[in-house]
Amino acid sequence: MASVELRDVSIRFPVYGARPRGLGGAFAAVGGAIRRGGDGILLVEALRGLSLSLTRGDRLGLVGHNGAGKSTLLRVIAGIYPPSSGTRRVHGRVLSLFDPMLGMALECTGRENVVLRGIYMGLTPRQARARIDEVADFCELGPYMDLPLGTWSTGMQLRLAFALATALDPDILLLDEQFGMGDAAFQEKAEGRLRDFVARAGIVVQASHSEPLIRASCSKVLLLDHGRAAMIGPPDAVFARYRAAAREAAVAR
Amino acid sequence: MNAPAARTMAPPNAAPPVPGRVSAALGDLADGARQWPQWFTLGNLEIRLRFRRTGLGPLWTSLSFAVLLAALGFVYARVLAVDPRTYVPYLALGLLAWNFAATMLQEACELYIHAAHTLKQLCVPKTVFLYRLLWRNLVLLALNAAVAAAALALCRARIGPSALLALPGLALLSLNLLWVGLLLALAGARFWAASRAVQAALPIAMLVTPVIWRPGTPALAALARWNPLYWAVELVRGPLTGAPPAPLAWAGAAGAALAGTAVALILFARLRERLLYWL
């Protein structure tokens, strides 16, 4: 049973090697709060007192300004950043898709990369090899599968990355920003596959600046503002609030 | 009413209780080992990529080791006025063990700095990278060992059954390198100067450790006796040069592995959660 339970989670990054001039408590239009810790070390507070509860079937969109904490929140759910304070309880197999090219070697062939990426994602070499043909078929890359990735175009590499990432069956799927999906012909095909993939996952959390994308795939939206949960609710209400906040910020400037 | 009560139970900066953190660290160690396809495949790939389009491929390692051995053997057998037949095997095995240990220690310092990108994308056991480092260096050791074996054959070195002790010796050395490597990797992630410090110290350490020379005089023997790196090299070199370490040396190496692993584990348990914040 897939579930995500965050309670009062804060993430504070210590900043080493920077000597700012009296920034403590300064406010910026972007990013989390910058403050000074007890030991005098500068801290960037990427998330502050955030609570979140998701169960099977939830499709959550994350929106907010640059540095609002969207990617950090995804990484907390993935278990990458243990909370500085608060608790995190996550059940189910998590798949995080942040960098589509993770674990791919430009020097290796398409086939070898299928295995490499699969191993990164926790498959055994045998399980990974079993997926080569399906992925190759879907990408329509034909003979290029036997050439090093470095000889491919960026779009072709993204095709492979996309096909690989969506060949797995996670309980909890975490997506950062939009996946690049290649040219128009492939995009149509990819959208269908992405829909199926998302439908199979128990929980999906997706961060994006694209309102149409979030509206199309999410039932709930969380608006983040300087690391805090400003609002969580149905897309219509949250986007209304988000746009109003953006207008206010523009007027204030 | 509720919120303050909850706060008393879990103060904002409370770390998880210590037993929880130690078992999480042990879990990391075990999960990392269980994910052997990852460190095995990626370790091999790293070697392949390092030597791609070089003709000889990884054999370049063997070739450069052979040239080093021939040059040092030729010069130092004369400098030290010793018989090359006994000196070259000693030198070959000493360099073999030294290169293995020194490369491992040097590369451990930047282990997590290089792994930062992956660690920020996926939730993987932190020890996978450590195992991968050890595996890669064991493969390179094997490539150099073939050269050392050829040198021993050329010098008609006599090898008895006690030479087999070099294998447990290598295992014990590897265990010790794992815990020292983990400590260096953690230190290197927090203090980026650690790598520079180790880089500066290793060549000096090689010159004061009996790798090229033998601890012939009482003063040199005393220097060697208190040098852990000497014992590290002897674990592999001793059995193959007809002088396996004394039982006390084995016990010392095993004791160091146990105590060191315990210390590294406690520090790993404390720092594992902070690691990602440093990168």
Side-chain angles (χ1 to χ4, degrees):
Chain A
M1 194 64 193
S3 72
V4 173
E5 187 80 46
L6 302 182
R7 195 158 297 166
D8 205 16
V9 166
S10 294
I11 295 283
R12 289 178 289 269
F13 292 107
V15 182
Y16 301 113
R19 288 180 197 282
R21 299 148 299 178
L23 278 178
F27 182 85
V30 293
I34 304 169
R35 60 183 69 241
R36 215 167 270 284
D39 43 6
I41 287 176
L42 211 63
L43 297 170
V44 169
E45 197 163 52
L47 287 180
R48 185 169 183 189
L50 195 129
S51 297
L52 180 66
S53 168
L54 299 172
T55 52
R56 199 176 166 73
D58 278 339
R59 303 285 180 263
L60 180 72
L62 302 179
V63 298
H65 56 83
N66 291 143
K70 301 183 292 292
S71 301
T72 305
L73 177 53
L74 287 174
R75 285 180 165 83
V76 170
I77 298 173
I80 292 167
Y81 292 132
S84 306
S85 62
T87 55
R88 164 194 179 270
R89 249 181 268 277
V90 170
H91 295 287
R93 281 166 305 146
V94 181
L95 176 63
S96 46
L97 298 178
F98 304 150
D99 170 8
M101 296 295 288
L102 174 73
M104 316 245 288
L106 293 181
E107 299 84 355
C108 294
T109 66
R111 276 170 205 288
E112 288 168 331
N113 269 293
V114 176
V115 178
L116 268 182
R117 176 74 184 229
I119 287 172
Y120 259 110
M121 296 297 184
L123 299 181
T124 64
R126 183 188 304 227
Q127 287 169 329
R129 272 193 294 273
R131 278 161 217 259
I132 292 180
D133 288 329
E134 190 265 332
V135 167
D137 273 356
F138 181 78
C139 298
E140 301 169 8
L141 287 163
Y144 275 95
M145 287 299 285
D146 293 309
L147 290 186
L149 229 59
T151 63
W152 299 16
S153 77
T154 314
M156 289 160 70
Q157 292 171 12
L158 280 177
R159 275 193 183 205
L160 183 71
F162 174 81
L164 274 173
T166 48
L168 299 169
D169 280 304
D171 298 318
I172 300 170
L173 172 62
L174 309 173
L175 296 161
D176 201 358
E177 289 307 326
Q178 206 171 357
F179 259 140
M181 285 183 249
D183 56 25
F186 187 70
Q187 208 140 37
E188 211 164 290
K189 198 174 167 183
E191 268 163 28
R193 184 174 168 111
L194 188 62
R195 261 196 307 277
D196 290 348
F197 176 53
V198 166
R200 285 199 307 270
I203 294 174
V204 180
V205 184
Q206 181 166 22
S208 179
H209 288 292
S210 157
E211 187 176 330
L213 185 80
I214 297 273
R215 279 184 184 277
S217 51
C218 300
S219 50
K220 254 201 255 185
V221 180
L222 170 62
L223 172 62
L224 288 165
D225 180 46
H226 295 93
R228 284 202 260 204
M231 184 180 185
I232 184 163
D236 285 331
V238 175
F239 277 113
R241 164 93 176 262
Y242 184 29
R243 278 194 299 266
R247 262 198 308 275
E248 248 169 59
V251 169
R253 269 202 295 277
Chain B
M1 192 67 193
N2 266 342
R7 194 130 299 169
T8 351
M9 283 191 293
N13 279 315
V18 170
R21 283 194 288 175
V22 170
S23 72
L26 279 169
D28 192 311
L29 236 63
D31 288 343
R34 219 171 290 133
Q35 297 205 6
W36 64 268
Q38 207 179 107
W39 47 263
F40 176 80
T41 314
L42 296 176
N44 291 341
L45 178 74
E46 269 172 315
I47 293 177
R48 222 183 79 198
L49 293 184
R50 200 180 283 183
F51 295 102
R52 82 200 164 95
R53 295 175 63 176
T54 55
L56 290 179
L59 287 180
W60 274 109
T61 305
S62 313
L63 184 65
S64 66
F65 186 67
V67 171
L68 174 73
L69 192 56
L72 288 186
F74 181 83
V75 172
Y76 281 90
R78 279 159 187 79
V79 170
L80 303 170
V82 289
D83 178 9
R85 286 241 183 115
T86 53
Y87 177 65
V88 170
Y90 173 84
L91 178 69
L93 295 162
L95 284 175
L96 182 73
W98 179 268
N99 281 357
F100 169 63
T103 314
M104 175 103 188
L105 296 181
Q106 180 64 65
E107 290 179 350
C109 294
E110 294 192 356
L111 188 67
Y112 289 126
I113 296 175
H114 290 313
H117 182 69
T118 306
L119 283 170
K120 285 180 188 175
Q121 307 291 321
L122 293 173
C123 188
V124 284
K126 316 284 180 275
T127 50
V128 164
F129 300 92
L130 187 67
Y131 297 138
R132 177 163 138 194
L133 175 72
L134 176 64
W135 174 247
R136 189 176 68 223
N137 280 299
L138 280 172
V139 172
L140 294 174
L141 171 82
L143 289 167
N144 289 345
V147 174
L152 259 65
L154 276 177
C155 296
R156 303 224 171 79
R158 269 176 304 164
I159 287 181
S162 69
L164 285 176
L165 284 173
L167 287 176
L170 178 62
L172 211 44
L173 173 59
S174 300
L175 286 178
N176 276 300
L177 287 173
L178 273 181
W179 72 259
V180 180
L182 181 58
L183 289 182
L184 284 176
L186 292 170
R190 174 64 185 84
F191 305 103
W192 290 24
S195 174
R196 302 294 168 138
V198 169
Q199 195 178 11
L202 277 175
I204 303 167
M206 180 179 169
L207 291 178
V208 299
T209 303
V211 177
I212 293 177
W213 48 275
R214 284 180 201 262
T217 71
L220 290 177
L223 182 68
R225 195 176 304 126
W226 296 106
N227 179 353
L229 290 167
Y230 169 70
W231 297 107
V233 169
E234 273 300 299
L235 282 174
V236 177
R237 179 177 60 192
L240 289 163
T241 49
L248 190 63
W250 287 102
L258 277 178
T261 304
V263 169
L265 194 68
I266 289 166
L267 273 163
F268 184 48
R270 291 180 66 92
L271 302 176
R272 205 174 68 95
E273 303 224 311
R274 301 298 309 157
L275 177 61
L276 258 289
Y277 287 84
W278 296 336
L279 298 172

